Structure formats: C-alpha cells, structure tokens
Amino acid sequence: MDAHGQARPGEVSVELPAAFDTGLIFIGRIRTPYATRAECPKNTRESDALATVELDPRYAAGLEGVELFSHLILLYWMDEARRDLIQQIPAHLGRRRGTFALRTPARPNPIALAVVELIRIESPNLIVRNIDCRDGTPLLDIKPYFASIDSVPDARRP
Amino acid sequence: MDAHGQARPGEVSVELPAAFDTGLIFIGRIRTPYATRAECPKNTRESDALATVELDPRYAAGLEGVELFSHLILLYWMDEARRDLIQQIPAHLGRRRGTFALRTPARPNPIALAVVELIRIESPNLIVRNIDCRDGTPLLDIKPYFASIDSVPDARRP
C-alpha cells in the first residue's frame, strides 16, 4: 500500500466477510504533531515528540492508578487503512510479505498498538512520548505495560 | 468483577454510548486447554501450555513471513466481558483501581493482547506458547513482535 492507500502492483487482497462480528467504541482521540499520514514517523521510537491522549471525560475515572506505571500500551484505530490487503509490499522492504508479518496499518482489523512512555496526567488527558499516528486518531484502549509479560528483549526478527 | 462477570460492591460503571463507531471481524479462534474463564491462568506467563491459533483459511496468505519472527502479538476479543466497568476491584489487589490501570478483560473495548512465542506454523494454524484465554476466544489480529519498539525491560510498575 502506498501513502495514498492504494495497492501497489503485486499486492494481494482478500474478500472480507459481509458483516461485522462486533463493534468498537472510540473512547478518545490522540493529538500528535502529524497532520497527515505522510508526515508520521515510520515507527514509534523515531519520534521524541510528545502527544496528548484526549480521553472522553466520561471515562476519566478509569485513569485512577495509571500514574503508578512508567509505560502504557495504547490501542488505536487506523481509520484510513484498507482492510482487505493480505500481502503487501512495504517501501522499506521492497518485496511482498504477509500482512500478519508486518506492522502496517492495513489489516482486516486495523488496530495499532504503541508502547508509550507516560510523561504526566492532566485528567482526562495523558501526555505521552513515542507515538507515531496521525493527529486525531481514534483511541480504543489504554493498558498498563507489564515488563514481566510484555517485554521480550531478545525476540528474534529478520 | 468476579468470575461470573458480576460487579463487586464498590466497583464503578459508566454509561456507554448508544452506538458503535466501527466494527470488527473475527479472523479466527484461539484453541486453549481452558474451557471456561475460571480455568484460565492469571496471566500469559503462568502457563506453559501450547495453544493453537486457528486462522480463518481466507486469510492464510497473510502468514507469509511470520516464520521469521520468534514472538508475535495476538489481539483477541474478550467476548464474555462487561464493557461498562470503569473502576474495578481485582481479587488479587483487594482495592479499587481504574480500568485503564488494569489488564482485566472488562473495559469499554474488551481487546486483550498477549505476547506469545511462535512454536511452529501449520498453515493456516499457528502453534504458540504463553496465552491465557478461554478456548474458542475470537482472534482479531496477529502482529510480529519487534523488541526495538515493544520491549521495555525496565518499565516501572507498582
């Protein structure tokens, strides 16, 4: 998929089911310095910019205790992504690979995740570092990061 | 929330929006030795049991290249979880904490994530280790684990 959301020659799409199985609620928005997808850094560690997680105030009570954690996992919705591409040719790779071996936004359920450093809380907002998404991206979830289950420093990749 | 999905005294719920913002597709099921939620281990590292990720065959081409990674992130849907609890009293904690400071299944969007070790691929199925969910849990996504962005060994928690 290119920066305009178009499939590149050689990319493979799949027919998706006609109906959804369940639904999601957007619980907030992520405010970043990146107005468009083209401006976004390639991954979460390529940016030191701060971002603001604007949580819908109705969920503010859910932040009780979040200050105890240095890092959080954000789940957010890649609302501009195609959902039907099952093999893609990322520009940085130059060859075709399955969607489930890529972190590309384009996937059947375009949920992205980022491990972010919590800088401070201004309830119902969070100020965080290490997020790469477009300004206004819909927020799905905030989870505490547990090194004991989430950190695998020696995980192998190509 | 107790093992039957009932709120405990002192837990706080919130009124959710009347409509969903977008929809999810179940792309497979996770087969585990745990028939009910009560049998599930407390977290993903408490079990050495193997699990089978049964991917819907229509998405099998998406696995191309997954074998290059030692660890994957699975996103799955906690279909039995309440979505309206915003402060909860986990049994192991004994006091109230915000949903976003907990890894409890009960949350506005009950998406769980597990970092699993990839044992082998029997396309369209994956055999993995370190997954704590109920047998038959709906699968939402498979992502490669990148230590460079996903691993924070020294993340602080209470």
Side-chain angles (χ1 to χ4, degrees):
Chain A
M1 195 182 61
D2 66 18
H4 305 286
Q6 301 301 307
R8 293 194 171 90
E11 293 189 323
V12 178
S13 65
V14 70
E15 191 177 345
L16 296 176
F20 291 129
D21 292 297
T22 189
L24 289 174
I25 302 162
F26 295 163
I27 64 168
R29 297 270 168 182
I30 303 176
R31 297 293 167 191
T32 73
Y34 318 114
T36 65
R37 195 159 56 183
E39 293 172 52
C40 293
K42 218 182 64 195
N43 71 54
T44 56
R45 298 292 174 93
E46 281 192 10
S47 167
D48 248 8
L50 297 186
T52 301
V53 177
E54 292 183 350
L55 183 66
D56 182 328
R58 87 166 71 201
Y59 307 109
L63 295 177
E64 176 78 29
V66 165
E67 73 282 356
L68 300 170
F69 297 86
S70 66
H71 290 74
L72 304 172
I73 297 173
L74 302 183
L75 299 182
Y76 44 103
W77 188 250
M78 302 281 85
D79 54 352
E80 294 182 342
R82 287 177 62 144
R83 303 178 68 159
D84 63 334
L85 291 181
I86 202 66
Q87 291 195 342
Q88 303 176 53
I89 306 175
H92 69 278
L93 201 61
R95 61 177 183 279
R96 192 160 59 189
R97 188 168 280 177
T99 291
F100 302 126
L102 297 168
R103 290 288 277 263
T104 165
R107 46 214 313 124
N109 293 303
I111 302 167
L113 82 88
V115 176
V116 299
E117 182 187 353
L118 175 61
I119 305 296
R120 64 180 183 276
I121 300 177
E122 300 173 355
S123 186
N125 296 346
L126 305 177
I127 316 300
V128 303
R129 201 195 310 271
N130 299 129
I131 182 92
D132 57 0
C133 62
R134 205 199 65 236
D135 185 47
T137 295
L139 178 69
L140 299 176
D141 200 6
I142 302 167
K143 297 181 190 292
Y145 186 89
F146 290 169
S148 55
I149 57 172
D150 299 320
S151 179
V152 185
D154 55 353
R156 180 175 45 82
R157 59 175 289 189
Chain B
M1 195 182 64
D2 65 20
H4 306 286
Q6 301 301 306
R8 295 194 171 89
E11 293 190 321
V12 178
S13 65
V14 70
E15 191 177 344
L16 296 176
F20 291 129
D21 292 296
T22 188
L24 290 174
I25 302 163
F26 295 163
I27 63 168
R29 298 270 168 183
I30 304 176
R31 297 292 167 193
T32 73
Y34 318 114
T36 65
R37 194 158 56 182
E39 294 171 53
C40 294
K42 218 180 66 193
N43 71 53
T44 56
R45 299 294 173 93
E46 282 193 8
S47 167
D48 248 6
L50 297 186
T52 300
V53 177
E54 292 184 350
L55 184 66
D56 182 328
R58 89 166 69 203
Y59 307 110
L63 295 178
E64 176 77 27
V66 165
E67 72 282 356
L68 300 169
F69 296 88
S70 66
H71 290 75
L72 304 172
I73 297 173
L74 302 183
L75 299 182
Y76 44 103
W77 188 250
M78 303 280 84
D79 54 351
E80 296 183 339
R82 290 178 59 146
R83 302 178 68 158
D84 62 334
L85 291 181
I86 203 67
Q87 292 195 341
Q88 304 176 53
I89 307 174
H92 69 276
L93 201 62
R95 61 177 181 279
R96 190 160 60 191
R97 188 169 280 178
T99 291
F100 302 127
L102 297 168
R103 290 289 276 262
T104 166
R107 47 212 317 122
N109 293 304
I111 302 167
L113 83 90
V115 177
V116 300
E117 183 188 351
L118 175 61
I119 305 296
R120 65 180 182 276
I121 299 178
E122 299 172 357
S123 185
N125 296 344
L126 305 177
I127 317 299
V128 303
R129 201 196 307 276
N130 299 131
I131 181 95
D132 57 359
C133 63
R134 205 198 66 238
D135 184 48
T137 296
L139 178 70
L140 299 176
D141 201 6
I142 302 168
K143 296 181 192 294
Y145 185 90
F146 289 170
S148 56
I149 55 172
D150 299 320
S151 179
V152 186
D154 56 352
R156 181 174 46 80
R157 59 176 289 193

